[in-house]
Structure formats: structure tokens, C-alpha cells
């Protein structure tokens, strides 16, 4: 599991640091700071999830995991768009608009 802390949202309630002090500390003004890289091993997942779910302003975000079998290709239609353009030849398929 990977997490990210959006400090612009944090309102400084300190709940995260109470639930998962290894991952969240509070600065001098009581706002949360993420400790470490944001990677959370399985054994700490419950504590971090509790911090995430209890954060009243949703400042803690769970980032999606990259799976080794992801091919990372964008989900775009690679078909040639010129094939669906309206022309004199296929006007009957599109209807008469003149
Ligand atoms: S629980 Fe949320 S609002 Fe409270 S200190 Fe942590 S990140 Fe900030």
C-alpha cells in the first residue's frame, strides 16, 4: 500500500499521528507530516488505514499499486478517425443534412 498526505487539506486534528505515529508526525503548529516515502508494509496497513479513514478532512490518500502485469498503455482508441469522417461517398449512412 502507498499513501500520500495532502498537507493543504490537513486541519491539524492529529488523529493520524495518534493511530500511526510511525507514518505521521505533527509539526510545531499541529499539522501532519508524512514520515518516510509513503510505502506501507502489510503489517502496518491496518493502523494506516484507520488513520486514513478517521482523518476528518480526507487529507490522506491511498495511491493505487502498480501491478507487474500492467502494460501501462493508455486507454485510447487507436482506430484511424479518418475512416469515420463524413464524405460524399458515405453521405447516405450519415443522413442528408444539406
Ligand atoms: S488526521 Fe487528517 S487533518 Fe488530522 S492531522 Fe492527520 S492529516 Fe491532518
Amino acid at each position: 500500500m502507498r499513501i500520500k498526505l495532502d498537507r493543504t487539506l490537513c486541519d491539524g486534528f492529529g488523529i493520524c499521528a495518534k493511530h500511526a505515529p510511525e507514518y505521521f508526525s505533527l509539526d510545531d503548529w499541529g499539522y501532519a507530516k508524512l514520515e518516510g516515502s509513503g510505502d506501507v508494509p502489510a503489517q502496518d496497513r491496518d493502523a494506516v488505514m484507520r488513520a486514513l479513514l478517521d482523518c476528518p478532512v480526507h487529507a490522506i490518500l491511498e495511491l493505487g499499486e502498480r501491478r507487474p502485469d500492467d502494460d501501462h498503455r493508455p486507454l485510447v482508441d487507436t482506430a484511424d478517425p479518418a475512416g469515420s469522417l463524413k464524405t460524399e461517398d458515405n453521405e447516405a449512412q450519415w443522413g442528408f443534412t444539406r
Side-chain angles (χ1 to χ4, degrees):
M1 159 184 202
R2 291 190 61 220
I3 56 166
K4 177 184 170 191
L5 173 67
D6 186 345
R7 296 192 72 197
T8 65
L9 295 176
C10 176
D11 265 348
F13 294 95
I15 298 166
C16 56
K18 188 176 124 197
H19 289 318
E22 310 84 26
Y23 295 92
F24 303 99
S25 62
L26 301 179
D27 65 16
D28 292 343
W29 293 274
Y31 293 98
K33 276 191 326 191
L34 184 63
E35 298 292 329
S37 65
D39 290 322
V40 179
Q43 71 266 17
D44 296 337
R45 188 178 187 282
D46 288 349
V48 171
M49 278 307 287
R50 185 156 185 212
L52 183 152
L53 294 171
D54 281 358
C55 175
V57 294
H58 309 289
I60 304 164
L61 309 168
E62 182 178 10
L63 302 176
E65 301 259 343
R66 283 218 180 256
R67 288 172 283 168
D69 58 339
D70 281 351
D71 60 7
H72 309 296
R73 282 183 292 166
L75 298 173
V76 292
D77 185 5
T78 56
D80 183 7
S84 59
L85 292 177
K86 182 178 176 182
T87 65
E88 290 290 325
D89 295 335
N90 66 8
E91 186 176 23
Q93 295 170 4
W94 287 89
F96 295 97
T97 56
R98 288 187 207 164

